[in-house]
Every structure is written in C-alpha cells, then in structure tokens.
C-alpha cells in the first residue's frame, strides 16, 4: 500500500471517448471541445484541476486530438492580430488556456474503455497518487470537490472517489457504490462497486461521478482487469478490486458531493449547463435572463 505524504500534483483527464450521444457534433470534434457559453467544456475541467493545486495535466486523447492540443497551445497568428488591434481583453482570453497548466498528452489508440484510458497514464504518473477528472463532467467552480478529495486521500491514503445521491430509478446509468458511514458527514468508506446495476441489484443510490484520486496500485489492477460491461475495461471494476482488498492499494473512501454538476456528454445536461452558467455571468446574464423570462412566459 502506498501511504505517500508527497503532495498530489498530477491530474489525468481522459478525453478519448467516442462521444456517440452527441453525434453528429462529435464526428470530427471531441465532445470535450463543445463550448459551454464561450469556453470549451475541457477548459473548465483543467481550471478545476489547477485550482485544486494540480498543475501537471496529462490528457488522454483519441482520434480527434488536434483541437484539444491546439486549444491549450499558443496561437501566435491570433495573438498577433489581436495585439495589432489593441484588443487586450480578447488577447487575454486567447492566452488564458495556454498559460493555465503544464500540459502533456498521451494517445489511447483504440477507445477500449475508461479503465484502459487511465492505464495509458501509468508511465507519466509513476508511483504517486494522482487525480482523474473526466473531461465531460463539469463541477461548478463554486462547489469545490477535488480539493476535499485530495485532503481525504492525504489523510487516509488509498483511493478516493466522488459520489452523488441520485434517484434510485437513475442508478442504472452510473457506477454504484456500497458504503459504510465514517465519522465525517461527507465521507463514506466504499466496500464495493458495481457498474450500471439494475435498480433491483443496486446496493445504494450513491452514484460514482467523474472525479477520482487514485493510489498508483490501480495500474497493476487495471493490467489484470478483463473487459467488462460493454466489452470495455472498466475503471469501476478495478476500483471494486481495490475496495474489496485494501491490502492491494489501501482503503477506498467516497466524498459525497452535494453541489452543482453537469454531464456535458449528455445533451439535456449540456443545455442546462449553458443556460445556468450564462444566467450567472456578469457580462451576459442580465440580458439573457430577461430574454429567458419572456421566452418562458410567452412561448412555453
Ligand atoms: P463515456 O462513458 O461518456 O463514453 O466516457 P464516450 O464514448 O465518451 O461517450 P458516449 O457514451 O459514446 O456518448 C466517460 C469518459 O471516459 C472517457 C471519455 O472521453 C469520457 O471523458 N473515455 C471513455 C476515454 O477516454 N476512453 C475510452 O475508451 C472511453
């Protein structure tokens, strides 16, 4: 078991999925590049990692990796044009994403599942605990979750996953955790995990959401993990192995999240994220809210 006291500094962002729920938009563009108001979803995720103190970011990319790499790189032509125009505000917006973090990339090749995507990070991560943030899962910046997970991992060792209570009828859409309470209200011990269970077999209504802080022992387990549900190597299956054998990589804890979260890979949630974040923006919000109010009253 790795009981490291080194501060966690590496974040892995899997962004190599096919994004089939969003076709045709994702035919030639990764779903993580779809804009939420005026920033691609992935930029919110990288900002979240940096805010939690993780500025070394490894992105696991797939067949359409170019737009992701370009977004976090400099764009000299655009910067030059905006400098010539004296447009400081837009210049700052362009430079924001390239100055954010130290970015690294690894190619997944075939999208063989989230567990396989995480395994692609092993050479970069080495033997330290690390965070995983799903590139299509957006956690509202006002409801910090990752820093709390890092804190729990540093205190207890092992791995930490993020859980959210969902309507029991919806649990078949998520990984589901069997849990025991701890002395802390928002922390549970995870005793088992099952990927997308039938509601009748679900041990709880605690759904796994897209933030993890993992012990590097997960890599050894993933190497042994056979393809599971959907023929994919499931991270949930590897976490189930860790949860049921704490001597492999320490305990698995869950932080129960009660804040705002959007699955931007789902069309309905994507639309809700845009409307909510646009309403709350200082620059766009007042006018957009006014329009929305009249739209709802007059047209719905
Ligand atoms: P999803 O389960 O949302 O799958 O992946 P998907 O293929 O991206 O999207 P749909 O269901 O076809 O619309 C969850 C996360 O895991 C990543 C995805 O990019 C997403 O962030 N992932 C999934 C990989 O990086 N590689 C994979 O092989 C599978």
């Amino acid at each position: 078991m790795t009981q490291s006291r080194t501060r966690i500094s590496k974040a892995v962002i899997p962004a190599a999925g096919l994004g089939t729920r969003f076709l045709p938009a994702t035919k030639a563009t990764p779903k993580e590049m779809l804009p939420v108001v005026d920033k691609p979803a992935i930029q919110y995720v990288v900002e979240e990692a940096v805010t939690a103190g993780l500025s070394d970011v490894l992105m696991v990319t797939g067949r359409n990796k170019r737009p992701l790499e370009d977004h976090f790189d400099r764009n000299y032509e655009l910067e030059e044009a905006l400098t010539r125009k004296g447009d400081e505000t837009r210049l700052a917006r362009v430079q924001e994403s390239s100055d954010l973090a130290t970015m690294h990339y690894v190619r997944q090749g075939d999208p063989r599942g989230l567990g396989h995507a995480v395994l692609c990070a092993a050479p970069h991560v080495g033997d330290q605990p690390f965070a995983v943030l799903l590139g299509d899962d957006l956690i509202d910046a006002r409801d910090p979750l990752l820093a709390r997970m890092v804190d729990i991992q540093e205190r207890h060792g092992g791995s930490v996953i993020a859980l959210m209570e969902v309507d029991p009828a919806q649990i078949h859409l998520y990984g589901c955790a069997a849990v025991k309470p701890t002395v802390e209200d928002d922390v549970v011990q995870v005793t088992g995990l099952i990927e997308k269970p039938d509601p009748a077999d679900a041990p709880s209504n605690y759904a796994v959401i897209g933030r993890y802080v993992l012990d590097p022992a997960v890599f050894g387990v993933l190497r042994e993990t056979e393809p599971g549900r959907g023929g994919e190597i499931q991270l949930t299956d590897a976490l189930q192995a860790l949860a049921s054998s704490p001597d492999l990589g320490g305990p698995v804890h869950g932080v129960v999240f009660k804040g705002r979260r959007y699955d931007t890979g789902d069309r309905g949630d994507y639309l809700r994220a845009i409307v909510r974040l646009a309403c709350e923006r200082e620059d766009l919000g007042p006018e957009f809210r006014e329009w929305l109010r009249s739209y709802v009253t007059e047209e719905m």
Side-chain angles (χ1 to χ4, degrees), residues 3-240:
Q3 189 87 8
S4 168
R5 293 281 157 232
T6 318
R7 259 207 85 74
I8 297 170
S9 61
K10 290 183 181 169
V12 173
I13 305 186
L18 293 177
T20 54
R21 284 169 293 167
F22 243 111
L23 283 168
T26 47
K27 185 175 174 191
T29 307
K31 67 175 164 184
E32 291 79 3
M33 282 304 294
L34 297 179
V36 177
V37 189
D38 50 8
K39 265 196 298 195
I42 192 78
Q43 189 175 331
Y44 291 88
V45 177
V46 174
E47 286 170 354
E48 182 192 337
V50 172
T51 304
L54 318 177
S55 55
D56 179 305
V57 175
L58 175 74
M59 207 168 283
V60 184
T61 60
R63 72 217 146 94
N64 300 317
K65 67 167 187 164
R66 272 299 292 276
L68 285 164
E69 290 196 7
D70 287 350
H71 185 71
F72 292 99
D73 200 355
R74 302 286 301 268
N75 184 329
Y76 292 103
E77 215 180 352
L78 196 52
E79 288 178 39
E80 175 81 30
L82 292 168
T83 308
R84 251 186 284 119
K85 282 191 185 175
D87 193 338
E88 301 281 332
T89 311
R90 292 194 175 116
L91 179 64
R93 271 189 216 151
V94 166
Q95 289 172 336
E96 220 167 49
S97 54
S98 47
D99 293 343
L100 204 50
T102 309
M103 301 298 299
H104 307 270
Y105 300 90
V106 64
R107 195 72 189 251
Q108 188 182 6
D110 286 334
R112 292 167 53 200
L114 177 57
H116 180 250
V118 170
L119 189 52
C120 294
H124 180 80
V125 166
D127 197 24
Q128 296 294 329
F130 64 104
V132 174
L133 295 84
L134 298 197
D136 59 353
D137 215 335
L138 214 146
I139 302 287
D140 199 300
R142 293 160 301 174
D143 302 322
L145 164 65
L146 194 57
R148 175 74 175 145
M149 295 173 70
V150 168
D151 168 50
I152 298 297
Q153 198 284 335
E154 287 175 348
R155 280 202 275 132
H156 296 279
S159 298
V160 181
I161 62 176
L163 299 172
M164 206 165 174
E165 286 194 76
V166 298
D167 176 348
Q170 299 294 308
I171 197 73
H172 67 283
L173 300 171
Y174 298 89
C176 173
V179 302
K180 282 200 306 214
T182 70
V183 290
E184 292 178 274
D185 266 0
D186 64 332
V187 182
V188 289
Q189 171 132 20
V190 177
T191 55
L193 282 154
I194 170 166
E195 182 65 18
K196 300 193 170 85
D198 287 333
D201 303 330
S204 74
N205 65 335
Y206 283 110
V208 179
I209 58 170
R211 297 294 179 269
Y212 310 81
V213 179
L214 300 176
D215 185 278
V218 74
F219 296 129
V221 177
L222 281 168
R223 283 188 195 99
E224 305 292 316
T225 302
E226 296 289 331
R229 219 187 150 91
E232 295 192 334
I233 298 175
Q234 297 287 353
L235 182 59
T236 306
D237 293 345
L239 292 171
Q240 155 62 17

